[in-house]
Amino acid sequence: MRKNPLELLRGLWTTFRSMLESPVTYQYPEIKRPVRERFRGRHELKRYENGLEKCIGCALCAAACPADAIFVEAAENTDEERYSPGERYASTYEINLLRCIFCGFCEDSCPTEAIVLEQNYEVSFTSRRQAIYTKDLLLVPVPTNGRQTPMKVPPGSFERAVPEMEDAK
Amino acid sequence: MGVESKLGNFGVVTTTLEQVVNWSRTRAMWPMLFGLACCAIEMMAAQASDYDMSRFGMELMRASPRQSDLMIVAGRVSRKMAPVLRRLYDQMPDPKWVLAMGDCCSCGGIFNNYAIVPGVDEIVPVDVYVAGCPPRPEGLIHGILTLYEKVTGEKIDHWS
């Protein structure tokens, strides 16, 4: 066996060099690493600028969901109690987050762009019951110059359920 | 521990003891590796230097159930794996906790068939469920912090 103390030092230099490097750890609960723009986290139900809900209760998201995580029940809108444009709104909207696989098919299938997978990934629960997110947990707050739903609107003002949208890119 | 059942209610003594024991339990909770599927990859990432679970007292993943306090079930549990999982859980010393990581072991996830157990809580009591398919390493760490909150709130007469 050849003994060369310089070789030993050269090997230990690799060990010693790592002491001079700055740590790479993200100090997670305090400092959050920004997620990618298209990251899919917890869902949100969006509103229009006037406060009306975008969801029209068509349940296409529930049909598209591969994990059967979404449950939608629709009810009729009236001009006295209007939740969303068009005929119907979602009276019950539940997502079981423990079933959801965050694939984004609901987002793709939504005709009004109501459900959007936002960037919140901090979803952990101490019971299964907590994992079922109901509509009031999913719905975003009313915008600043909007009104709370249900709202009273002039008759015949929100007939069209699906808004005019630019073509898909 | 055994001592608390004999101590009874000593007011300030027991609450301080409660705090000290719960604090120490959350500072050295060694997880048992139970990686079964793709969630295990994220569990490894959470243990690696970018997220580094050693900051939360999880210095190393034990392969032996007798040296671990927390079972992180990461991945889908098949019917054939279920008795093994229960046996390993029984071999862990008290106090022990279970964290179900990901959709599959929390409630079956997208799997709805005869081969996959619909939720590991059919076999072992689960303390924290982490949603995601798979969850990010941050998601797992958030689940661990949720568990720590639960452990810190444990009362002296509920200790096992």
Side-chain angles (χ1 to χ4, degrees), chain B residues 47-59:
Chain B
Q47 190 77 46
S49 50
D50 265 10
Y51 297 101
D52 198 15
M53 285 208 297
S54 335
R55 294 180 291 139
F56 307 99
M58 303 192 163
E59 205 54 60

Side-chain angles (χ1 to χ4, degrees), chain A residues 52 76-87 147 150-159:
Chain A
L52 279 179
E76 295 280 327
N77 271 321
T78 56
D79 281 327
E80 278 72 44
E81 279 193 22
R82 183 164 284 284
Y83 290 85
S84 69
E87 285 172 28
R147 282 189 291 156
M151 59 172 80
K152 193 170 161 34
V153 296
S157 50
F158 291 102
E159 294 282 289

Side-chain angles (χ1 to χ4, degrees), chain A residues 4-165:
Chain A
N4 189 350
L6 277 177
E7 290 297 302
L8 178 76
L9 283 178
R10 213 168 66 118
L12 278 175
W13 169 243
T14 310
T15 315
F16 183 70
R17 200 176 50 205
S18 69
M19 294 165 76
L20 305 173
E21 289 167 0
S22 57
V24 292
T25 309
Y26 295 96
Q27 301 292 328
Y28 159 61
E30 291 85 26
I31 298 156
K32 287 175 186 166
R33 186 185 189 178
V35 293
R36 297 278 171 183
E37 206 178 302
R38 293 177 63 189
F39 176 79
R40 298 187 298 264
R42 187 175 71 73
H43 315 67
E44 276 181 3
L45 284 172
K46 298 291 182 190
R47 288 176 190 269
Y48 290 107
E49 273 174 28
N50 58 4
L52 279 179
E53 295 157 17
K54 284 190 174 181
C55 180
I56 53 171
C58 67
L60 273 177
C61 46
C65 184
D68 274 346
I70 307 180
F71 172 69
V72 187
E73 203 170 48
E76 295 280 327
N77 271 321
T78 56
D79 281 327
E80 278 72 44
E81 279 193 22
R82 183 164 284 284
Y83 290 85
S84 69
E87 285 172 28
R88 302 199 299 167
Y89 71 99
S91 58
T92 312
Y93 197 104
E94 286 176 357
I95 297 182
N96 187 346
L97 283 181
L98 283 182
R99 263 199 172 267
C100 171
I101 56 166
F102 302 93
C103 61
F105 283 8
C106 46
E107 198 178 6
D108 291 349
S109 67
C110 187
T112 57
E113 295 178 352
I115 186 157
V116 178
L117 277 84
E118 284 296 343
Q119 305 192 329
N120 181 12
Y121 46 78
E122 292 173 330
V123 273
S124 51
F125 315 97
T126 47
S127 78
R128 272 208 206 179
R129 185 69 216 166
Q130 290 174 353
I132 297 170
Y133 267 53
T134 49
K135 193 180 163 190
D136 47 322
L137 291 168
L138 291 166
L139 206 59
V140 295
V142 181
T144 40
N145 43 10
R147 282 189 291 156
Q148 185 61 255
T149 49
M151 59 172 80
K152 193 170 161 34
V153 296
S157 50
F158 291 102
E159 294 282 289
R160 198 184 154 87
V162 181
E164 301 271 359
M165 281 189 281

